[in-house]
Amino acid sequence: MIRGTVKGRVWSSKHIETLPNGALLEVDADGATIVAFDPLGCAIGEEVLITQGSVAAAFFTKHKAPVDALIIGSIDET
Amino acid sequence: MIRGTVKGRVWSSKHIETLPNGALLEVDADGATIVAFDPLGCAIGEEVLITQGSVAAAFFTKHKAPVDALIIGSIDET
Amino acid sequence: MIRGTVKGRVWSSKHIETLPNGALLEVDADGATIVAFDPLGCAIGEEVLITQGSVAAAFFTKHKAPVDALIIGSIDET
Amino acid sequence: MIRGTVKGRVWSSKHIETLPNGALLEVDADGATIVAFDPLGCAIGEEVLITQGSVAAAFFTKHKAPVDALIIGSIDET
Amino acid sequence: MIRGTVKGRVWSSKHIETLPNGALLEVDADGATIVAFDPLGCAIGEEVLITQGSVAAAFFTKHKAPVDALIIGSIDET
C-alpha cells in the first residue's frame, strides 16, 4: 500500500455505468496524484492508506467495478 | 485512477484481432503519455479519469480484450 | 520482488472491514515508501523482501484481503 | 497502453519451457526499454502499441504464457 | 518484460511458508534493483529477461507462490 494525503474530491457526471456511487478523492502520494475510491468518508487533509490494482477492484463484490485505487484506512495520528 | 488530459487519437490499422473497435486516445497524465480506450466519446482537451491494468480489461465482457487503460469518466469542470 | 528496510509501523483504527489483523510496516525501498503487511514479525531496521499486487493478496486465503504489498521474507545478513 | 518504437530483437536460447515461440522485440517507450512479444511481425523503427501485465498474458489461450508485455498494434503514420 | 543483469543472490532463512525453494537473484534493470526467482540457474553477470506481477506467480502451478518477478530467459550474447 502507499500512504497519502487527501487533497480534494473529483466529480464525474459523465462516466461509464459500472462506476460505483461514492466519493472519488484526489490523494497526494509522494508528489504523485492518485484518484481513489473512498468507502470511509475521509476528509481533506486526512492521511490515508491506498491499495491499488485488481486488489482494489476486488472490494466490490456485486459487480466488476472499474476501480484500481481504494482507500482502505485512515492513518492514526501519533 | 489517474487523471489526465486528452491530447489526440491514435489509429492502428494493423492490430491483433481481439482489439475492440473504438477510440484509442492519447492522454497526458503528469507528463507521461498513456493510450487509453475511450467508451465515452471524449474530445481533445477533456479532463478524464483512467483506470489501468486487469481492471481496465474487465470492462470488456464478451471476450478478453487486450486493453490495460480505460477512460472511466470525464471530470466535471468546477 | 523488491528489497527494503523497515522504518516503522502504521496504525489505522478507521479501516475497511476486510483489512486483516496484523502489522502494517512502513518500508523504505530505494527512496520510495511502501506500507506492507507483515506476517513474520519483523523489526525496525530489518531488511525485507516485498511482493506486490494481486500476488500479495493471494496470501490471504480465507477472504479477499485489500493488501497489495506483503513481506515474504527477511534477508539474511551476510 | 503505451506507445513506443521498435529498436531491435532479443534472442533467448536458454528460457523456461512455457515461453511461446515468436519474436521478442525491444521497444523504447519514453526512454524506458521494454521487451514485448510481437504477434504482428513488426519491423525496427515501427511505432507500436503495447499492453502490459496479466492483460498481455491473457492473449495466450492454450497455456499460461510468462509474457507481461504484448504488441497489440502498429500505429498508423499520419 | 524487462532485461537486466544478475548482480548477486539473496538468502532468506526467515520467510513465509509458501515461498518456493530456489534461487532469488538480485537483478539490476535500468538502475533499479529487482529480486527475481530464477528457475534457470543463471550466473552473476548474465543478462536476463524478467516477467513481473501475477504473470510471474502463474509459473508456479502446484500452489500459489508469492513471487512477482521471474527470470524467464537468458539473453543470447550477440
Side-chain angles (χ1 to χ4, degrees), chain E residues 6-57:
Chain E
V6 177
K7 292 297 181 192
R9 185 162 176 181
V10 170
W11 303 88
S12 173
S13 304
K14 170 184 166 185
H15 59 74
I16 63 176
E17 285 187 15
T18 49
L19 184 63
N21 287 321
L24 295 170
L25 301 186
E26 276 197 306
V27 179
D28 180 77
D30 271 326
T33 299
I34 292 175
V35 178
F37 189 91
D38 173 25
L40 292 169
C42 295
I44 290 176
E46 207 163 333
E47 293 277 315
V48 295
L49 273 180
I50 294 176
T51 201
Q52 291 177 280
S54 62
V55 178

Side-chain angles (χ1 to χ4, degrees), chain D residues 16, chain E residues 23 37-41 59 70-72:
Chain D
I16 64 176
Chain E
F37 189 91
D38 173 25
L40 292 169
F59 173 73
L70 177 77
I71 294 176
I72 64 167

